[in-house]
Amino acid sequence: MDEAYDGQERRRLDATQNADLLHTTVARDLGIAIVQGRYAPGEMLPSELTAIQSLKISRPAYREAIRMLAAKNLVEIRPKSGTRVLPRRQWNLLDPDVLGWVLKNAPTDTFLTALFDVRMIVEPAAAALAAQRRTQAHLEQMADALDVMGRHQHDSPEGQAADELFHQILLDAADNEILSQLASLIGASVSYIAEFKRDRHVRRDPKPDHDALFRAIAARRSEAARSIVLNLIEHAREDTEDLFDGGER
C-alpha cells in the first residue's frame, strides 16, 4: 500500500512539475515574441481559445503564462476584451527574465547605451561602499570567484559565471538592500558582454581589472575601487563599441 501511495505521489509531483514547466515555457516564448516586436505595443494577443488550440495546452496553463507576463508589465489583461501588449516604457526591464529576453534578442543601440549608463552610475558607487563595508567573508567569496576566473577562459561558461558572481558579491558587500536588487541587471550585462566577445572573438581578458578591484576593496581604498570599476566598465563598452557605430538598429 505504501509503495502504491508513493508511486501516485511521485506521479502527482511529476504532473505538477510538467505543468509548471509548460506555462513557464509558454510565458517565455510569448515574452520573446513581444520583445522582438512580433506583437507590437497596443496589439492584442491571439484569443485564449486560439492560443490553447494552437499551442495544445490547457486553459489554466495558458492563463498562468499570461499572468506571469502581466506581472512583468509586458501585457495588460482586459476582462472580456483580451490581452493587450503594453508600451515598452512600462515593461519591467529590471525583471531578470525580461532583461534576459531583451539582451538575447538583438537589443537596440539605445538600450545598450542605457545599460552602460546605469552601470556607470551604480557600480562605481557600490564599489566605493564595498571597500568600506565588506567583510572577510565577502573577500573570501571574491577570491574564490577570481580563482575560478583564473582557471577558465574568460568567455567560457565557467569564467562567465564566476565573473557574474564577482559582481553580485560586490553589490552584496556594499551592504545596501536596494543596490542588491540590481544584481540581476549587472549580471545580465556581464553575461551579454561575455557572449558578445565570444561570438566576435574579442580577446580582452577582464580578470586583471577584477584583480585590481579586489585589491582596492581588500585595502579599503574607496576612491581607487571607484576608479577601477569605471575603467572596467569603459573597457566593456569599448569591446562592444561597434554595436554603436551604425546608430539605432
Side-chain angles (χ1 to χ4, degrees):
M1 179 68 74
D2 289 342
E3 290 181 1
Y5 175 82
D6 289 343
Q8 292 172 358
E9 188 66 21
R10 281 195 296 271
R11 284 194 293 274
R12 280 197 291 269
L13 289 173
D14 288 344
T16 300
Q17 291 168 351
N18 290 337
D20 289 343
L21 179 61
L22 182 59
H23 71 245
T24 300
T25 300
V26 171
R28 180 201 63 200
D29 292 346
L30 286 173
I32 290 173
I34 290 170
V35 303
Q36 286 181 336
R38 285 187 275 152
Y39 294 111
E43 184 177 349
M44 303 298 289
L45 293 184
S47 71
E48 184 177 276
L49 180 59
T50 299
I52 63 177
Q53 288 178 343
S54 62
L55 297 172
K56 295 180 173 58
I57 62 173
S58 68
R59 194 180 301 271
Y62 180 73
R63 288 181 175 178
E64 182 59 29
I66 294 299
R67 280 194 289 267
M68 290 177 66
L69 296 180
K72 300 174 188 297
N73 286 348
L74 289 180
V75 301
E76 176 186 42
I77 303 171
R78 292 183 165 184
K80 300 182 180 180
S81 298
T83 303
R84 181 177 67 93
V85 177
L86 289 172
R88 184 184 176 98
R89 66 179 179 276
Q90 293 182 238
W91 297 355
N92 182 5
L93 293 173
L94 293 182
D95 181 278
D97 289 333
V98 177
L99 185 59
W101 296 337
V102 172
L103 285 174
K104 289 181 180 297
N105 290 275
T108 64
D109 296 348
T110 299
F111 182 82
L112 291 172
T113 297
L115 185 59
F116 277 113
D117 287 346
V118 171
R119 289 191 63 184
M120 294 287 275
I121 293 168
V122 171
E123 283 190 273
L129 288 174
Q132 295 304 313
R133 300 175 179 177
R134 65 30 171 208
T135 65
Q136 185 61 34
H138 290 129
L139 293 181
E140 292 172 0
Q141 292 166 1
M142 287 183 177
D144 289 343
L146 288 174
D147 179 63
V148 176
M149 290 177 69
R151 289 188 283 107
H152 298 277
Q153 293 292 326
H154 63 85
D155 56 358
S156 68
E158 296 84 0
Q160 178 180 320
D163 194 347
E164 291 181 41
L165 179 59
F166 183 94
H167 287 269
Q168 178 182 325
I169 298 166
L170 174 68
L171 290 178
D172 286 343
D175 193 24
N176 182 302
E177 62 182 357
I178 297 176
L179 280 176
S180 294
Q181 294 297 310
L182 298 176
S184 62
L185 181 146
I186 305 302
S189 173
V190 170
S191 176
Y192 175 80
I193 292 166
E195 292 177 9
F196 172 87
K197 291 167 70 173
R198 179 170 59 248
D199 292 343
R200 290 160 179 78
H201 308 292
V202 177
R203 298 301 181 188
R204 190 198 302 271
D205 184 355
K207 188 170 183 296
D209 285 335
H210 288 72
D211 287 335
L213 177 56
F214 173 77
R215 291 192 295 270
I217 291 175
R220 298 191 186 277
R221 294 186 291 123
S222 293
E223 290 311 308
R226 185 193 305 271
S227 177
I228 292 166
V229 168
L230 283 169
N231 191 56
L232 189 156
I233 299 171
E234 190 55 43
H235 283 166
R237 188 193 290 267
E238 290 170 2
D239 289 339
T240 58
E241 64 184 357
D242 64 325
L243 290 177
F244 302 91
D245 291 341
E248 182 72 23
R249 284 192 302 223

